[in-house]
Amino acid sequence: MPPYIVSSPLQGFTDYRFRNAHQKYYGGVDLYYAPYIRLNGKKVIKPGYQKDLQVKNNTTINVIPQVMTNSAEEFLFVSDYVQSLGYNELNWNLGCPYPMVTNKCLGSGLISDPDRIDGILDIVHSNSSITVSMKMRMGYEDASEILDVFPVLAKYPIKNIGIHARIGKQLYVGGVDLESFQRCVDSTDQTLYFNGDITSVARYREMTNRFPMIDHWMIGRGLIADPYLPMMIKEDATDYPEDRIDRFSKFHDRLFTEYSDKLTGDKAIIRKLLSYWEYFAQRFDNTARIIKNIKKTKTIEAYDKVIAEVFRYERSKSYIEV
Ligand SMILES: Cc1cc2nc3c(=O)[nH]c(=O)nc-3n(C[C@H](O)[C@H](O)[C@H](O)COP(=O)(O)O)c2cc1C
C-alpha cells in the first residue's frame, strides 16, 4: 500500500491557493486539512474562511475543514456551516500551543480537561451527523495528559486522532517525543495519524520503521519547505528529479499570481511571498542570503530579480550578487 500523506494545516500558508497550486504542480498529498476556523465569540464565519472552503475553490482536492473552539455551540455552528457546503467531516484542533490561545482553554490548553472535551463531544454527537476527527498535541504541560483523553474519545465515533508528538509548552523547541507517542499507540485502539518533523524521505523511513502500525502521515512545515516531499515519499526517491527547479518556478509563479490578485501593493505581496520563502529557502543553497535579499526588496521588479537569480543559481550552481 502506498503511504497515505496528509497535509497538516498551517494557518497563513496552506489556504486554497497553496493547496491547489501544490496539487497541480506536485501532488502526492491524499488529504489536505484546511487551517482552523475560529469564531472569537461571534457566530459569524469570516469571509476569508468562507473563501477557503468554498467548493468552487477546492474542486480537485480532498479537503477537511478544521475548527478551534471550546464551545459545543460554536462547534455546532461551524459543523452546520461546513455541512451546508457539502463537507461531512470536521477536524477539531486541540493542538495550537500559543499562550494567547491556550490561556483561554483552547487548542492544546484544553487537553488537560477531559470532562470538558467529553461534554462538547456529547452535545455535538447528540445534535449533529458530522463526523469528528481530532488533531492534538500530547498535552500542554505534560505528554501524559492525552492518556486521560483517550477513554473519552473512545465513547464517540471519532474517525481518527492526528497527534503532533510534542506538548504545547514546548511550542516548537526541542524534538518530537517519540517515546510518548509510542505510549499513545499502546494506550488506545483508535486510529492514530503521526505528525511532527517529517522533513525528508529518510526521516519518513525512520518513522515508518519505528511505528509500523501507523499508516497515515501528516506533514506540515516539511511540505511547505519542500513541496516535492510527498511525491518523493511515495516514490521512495532519494534524489530530486531533474525538473526540480522548473517545476518549483511554475509553482512559485502560480502562488505569486494568486497573492498578487488577493493583496494590494508590492510590499504586501512581497511580505506574503517572503513568509513562504522562509520555508522554501531552507531547501536551497545560500538560505540566509536569499531571505536577506528578498527582505531588501521594495518593488515587485526587485523581487523578481532576486528570485530569477535564485533559480539561475540553482540551475547553474554559480552565484552572482544582485
Ligand atoms: C505557522 C503555523 C500555522 C499552523 N496552523 C495550524 C492550524 O491551523 N491547525 C492545526 O491543526 N495546526 C496548525 N499548525 C501545526 C501544524 O499543522 C503541525 O501540526 C506542526 O507544524 C507539526 O508538524 P510539522 O513538523 O510537520 O510541521 C501550524 C503550525 C505552524 C508553524
Side-chain angles (χ1 to χ4, degrees), residues 245-298:
I245 300 303
D246 291 339
R247 197 184 284 242
F248 179 78
S249 147
K250 285 182 194 149
F251 169 70
H252 166 273
D253 289 354
R254 164 81 179 255
L255 279 186
F256 182 88
T257 306
E258 293 278 350
Y259 285 110
S260 301
D261 289 348
K262 174 182 189 272
L263 301 167
T264 312
D266 288 12
K267 280 191 188 153
I269 298 164
I270 293 167
R271 211 178 309 124
K272 186 71 195 178
L273 270 296
L274 173 65
S275 69
Y276 283 102
W277 274 103
E278 306 261 9
Y279 288 99
F280 297 155
Q282 295 168 17
R283 290 294 178 281
F284 292 117
D285 292 350
N286 309 310
T287 304
R289 195 188 315 213
I290 294 172
I291 298 302
K292 196 175 113 203
N293 285 346
I294 296 175
K295 278 186 177 160
K296 278 198 293 197
T297 65
K298 293 191 171 51

Side-chain angles (χ1 to χ4, degrees), residues 40-60:
N40 285 325
K42 285 193 205 131
K43 287 230 187 91
V44 177
I45 309 281
K46 284 194 206 146
Y49 297 143
Q50 293 192 22
K51 205 161 185 191
D52 193 44
L53 294 176
Q54 270 166 11
V55 175
K56 70 177 169 68
N57 290 332
N58 294 282
T59 49
T60 60

Side-chain angles (χ1 to χ4, degrees), residues 95-97 108 111 137-146 164-173 175-177 180:
C96 186
S108 62
I111 302 172
R137 290 202 180 204
M138 298 186 293
Y140 182 78
E141 287 285 342
D142 194 285
S144 60
E145 287 169 28
I146 196 171
H164 175 192
R166 285 189 168 86
I167 53 171
K169 197 170 73 171
Q170 229 184 310
L171 297 171
Y172 286 88
V173 182
V176 279
D177 177 353
S180 296

